[in-house]
Amino acid sequence: MTHDLVIKGARVVSASGTTQCEIGIKDGVIATLGHDLASAEVIDATGLIALPGGIDSHVHISQPSGPGIEMADDFTTGTRAAACGGNTTVLPFCLPEEGQTLREAVAAYRAKAEGNCLTDVAFHLIVKETDPVTLGQDLPALIEAGYTSFKVFMTYQGLALSDRQILEVMSVAKAHGAMVMVHAENEDAIEFLRDRAERTGETAPYHHATTRPVPVEREATHRAISLAEIAGVPLTIVHVSNGEATEEIMRARQRGLTVFAETCPQYITLTADDLDRDGFEGAKYVCSPPPRTRDEWANIWRGIETGVFDLFSSDHCPFRFVDTAGKDAPGARQSFRNIPNGIPGVETRLPILFSEGVVKGRISLDRFAALTATNHARLYGLFPRKGAIMVGADADIALWDPTLTKPIRQSDLHHGSDYTPWEGFTVTGWPVRTLLRGVTTMQDGAPVAAAIGQHLTREAPDVLR
Ligand code: URP
Ligand code: ZN
Ligand code: ZN
Ligand code: ZN
């Protein structure tokens, strides 16, 4: 067979292990893994590592964020940054605007993505209403149409669902075959702590962290697992930040429950002290759950190393810093309550885990691939088309230089935000070329292709098939 493109010389992290071989690509698909392959075009990847293109299954793009607040990334900038960070697929969340049905929201979100993406995309849904039309008609129809995962919130006014509502949403997931993702923080406890902090003048960004302490997350994690057990559904706990929540997940698995877990770069590299930086700088680090302590980094690492965590995602949720539609929203300097939650990270997720995990000897290349691509594809119904370098899969590949060492700089990044929380954080190992279905989308840190990303129709999660 003559291929359209062959990648030669790389160590290939394939679905069946890490080997030295060539990757033959034909019609955008991996056609051959072998040696001495014939091709019209060759990429010499000597000295590089070929990893499956990153799948970031937790990003926020063009998400409605309340009156006057604007997310810093649309599909153009968000997927451009993703591709430059070695990703080939992202899964943002579709959140209905005020007065929009879930189905209307999906149609509008599809239109926003269409023709603007440099990665492939698929959407999770956010379920914030539990009326009969949403749960009886819209959600079942959308699951049948391939929107096979949705997030429910236990915190945030306007988004948080009651336990009863969560059970009702889980029942729909059970009946129609979808994955429920939970943001586990106890809203009542947060409101109590926040009101009390404000009364005593503790209003600086740092108190975002002190009013969302570990027990707030641990309790909600335990409750979410119990609700999933009652409803009889698998569950994914997203953005786990600490050891006690991790232990809840381990205990659930010991009882035989199917619980998946996700963590993020902020929980192994940032601390609550970052929210205490001079002036208003701390606002740059306000996200939920908040960054914790160095001791908690160690707890999260143990979870990553021992397999408690299935997913390593960015929770990219970008706002601009010098912007009254962003972190400097009206009232934000008077109280942390008014600072939009979220930090940008889609372009830095993979280099941070590669450097802190692979280069420092904590995880293998195979585990890196599982945490950043394969498990995302399996859990959210994209496997075997996506998530692994194997014959028959899309030729979604990131070529890494494992020796390239440089600090993260906002000036090198491609997101719409005007800062990175990791400014000056030095990493070793960077993706130097990204290929989406065989087409180069990033080379040497710069986006190169037109917006060739497609919307992907998903299957049910592996665990439900
Ligand atoms: O602070 C965060 N993480 N904002 C993004 C929304 C969410 O809860 O994932
Ligand atoms: Zn050979
Ligand atoms: Zn969340
Ligand atoms: Zn999120």
Side-chain angles (χ1 to χ4, degrees):
M1 181 201 287
T2 296
H3 302 88
D4 302 326
L5 175 66
V6 168
I7 300 173
K8 298 193 184 222
R11 261 174 90 199
V12 178
V13 185
S14 77
S16 49
T18 299
T19 52
Q20 196 76 32
C21 72
E22 298 171 11
I23 305 171
I25 297 164
K26 179 114 184 123
D27 299 327
V29 170
I30 298 171
T32 318
L33 294 174
H35 292 279
D36 307 313
L37 306 182
S39 175
E41 197 192 331
V42 171
I43 293 177
D44 179 3
T46 305
L48 304 181
I49 298 171
L51 276 153
I55 301 177
D56 195 338
S57 63
H58 190 154
V59 303
H60 303 268
I61 290 174
S62 284
Q63 188 176 300
S65 306
I69 306 297
E70 212 178 321
M71 201 156 266
D73 276 317
D74 57 15
F75 280 95
T76 301
T77 59
T79 62
R80 179 182 72 192
C84 289
N87 298 283
T88 48
T89 298
V90 298
L91 288 89
F93 294 84
C94 175
L95 172 66
E97 313 231 15
E98 220 30 67
Q100 220 175 20
T101 68
L102 203 45
R103 267 196 273 199
E104 289 165 351
V106 168
Y109 207 47
R110 279 284 293 269
K112 281 186 182 170
E114 191 69 41
N116 292 318
C117 296
L118 198 50
T119 64
D120 284 349
V121 295
F123 306 153
H124 307 292
L125 311 172
I126 292 176
V127 182
K128 62 166 185 167
E129 312 283 354
T130 56
D131 57 279
V133 172
T134 301
L135 293 195
Q137 297 173 24
D138 281 8
L139 200 48
L142 287 165
I143 296 169
E144 303 305 333
Y147 299 90
T148 52
S149 53
F150 33 85
K151 185 172 176 190
V152 295
F153 288 81
M154 301 172 87
T155 184
Y156 297 139
Q157 280 162 2
L159 283 181
L161 300 184
S162 69
D163 293 354
R164 164 78 188 250
Q165 288 177 301
I166 291 172
L167 283 166
E168 283 169 355
V169 174
M170 285 175 168
S171 303
V172 178
K174 183 169 176 71
H176 298 275
M179 177 64 72
V180 181
M181 312 160 74
V182 177
H183 180 134
E185 288 184 295
N186 181 321
E187 178 66 15
D188 270 356
I190 292 165
E191 283 175 24
F192 166 79
L193 293 169
R194 193 165 52 201
D195 290 347
R196 194 178 68 179
E198 285 183 333
R199 281 198 304 275
T200 56
E202 295 175 333
T203 55
Y206 178 62
H207 294 287
H208 173 79
T210 60
T211 56
R212 291 175 175 266
V214 165
V216 159
E217 184 182 344
R218 183 236 297 141
E219 183 280 328
T221 302
H222 180 93
R223 184 155 40 98
I225 290 167
S226 303
L227 297 176
E229 184 176 2
I230 291 163
V233 291
L235 178 70
T236 298
I237 307 282
V238 296
H239 47 48
V240 175
S241 76
N242 69 83
E244 291 188 11
T246 307
E247 281 167 16
E248 294 294 341
I249 292 156
M250 290 163 64
R251 269 197 284 280
R253 289 188 185 163
Q254 279 160 8
R255 292 202 303 279
L257 301 177
T258 305
V259 180
F260 300 96
E262 175 198 80
T263 193
C264 315
Q266 42 274 35
Y267 306 121
I268 52 168
T269 53
L270 304 177
T271 70
D273 287 344
D274 286 309
L275 282 80
D276 204 17
R277 292 192 187 204
D278 278 354
F280 190 59
E281 282 284 300
K284 289 180 176 176
Y285 302 86
V286 167
C287 62
S288 298
R292 306 283 183 192
T293 61
R294 286 174 167 266
D295 285 349
E296 295 293 3
W297 296 357
N299 292 332
I300 295 297
W301 271 118
R302 202 169 315 118
I304 293 173
E305 289 163 12
T306 60
V308 181
F309 291 106
D310 306 283
L311 305 168
F312 190 84
S313 310
S314 67
D315 195 7
H316 178 76
C317 186
F319 295 97
R320 288 168 50 81
F321 179 61
V322 187
D323 197 332
T324 52
K327 292 291 188 182
D328 209 355
R333 287 172 191 258
Q334 284 69 49
S335 172
F336 62 86
R337 175 199 294 275
N338 300 312
I339 302 172
N341 282 208
I343 60 176
V346 74
E347 195 168 351
T348 45
R349 168 186 75 127
L350 297 173
I352 288 172
L353 185 66
F354 192 94
S355 186
E356 293 293 307
V358 177
V359 175
K360 293 193 175 172
R362 290 167 165 138
I363 57 172
S364 67
L365 279 169
D366 299 274
R367 180 98 182 101
F368 178 87
L371 283 162
T372 59
T374 320
N375 292 348
H376 301 250
R378 286 188 180 281
L379 227 56
Y380 297 123
L382 292 169
F383 194 81
R385 180 178 170 191
K386 300 291 190 184
I389 297 181
M390 62 184 175
V391 171
D394 281 1
D396 294 353
I397 296 161
L399 297 177
W400 285 70
D401 180 345
T403 63
L404 182 58
T405 300
K406 61 175 182 181
I408 292 170
R409 296 279 179 220
Q410 164 66 13
S411 52
D412 291 334
L413 301 180
H414 301 83
H415 58 209
S417 186
D418 55 356
Y419 76 98
T420 166
W422 289 280
E423 186 71 38
F425 186 95
T426 294
V427 305
T428 296
W430 286 87
V432 292
R433 188 161 181 164
T434 310
L435 295 98
L436 173 61
R437 286 178 269 104
V439 177
T440 298
T441 53
M442 177 277 281
Q443 195 162 1
D444 298 324
V448 291
I452 58 165
Q454 298 174 357
H455 175 268
L456 303 169
T457 301
R458 295 191 284 136
E459 307 283 327
D462 260 20
V463 67
L464 295 174
R465 271 190 247 172

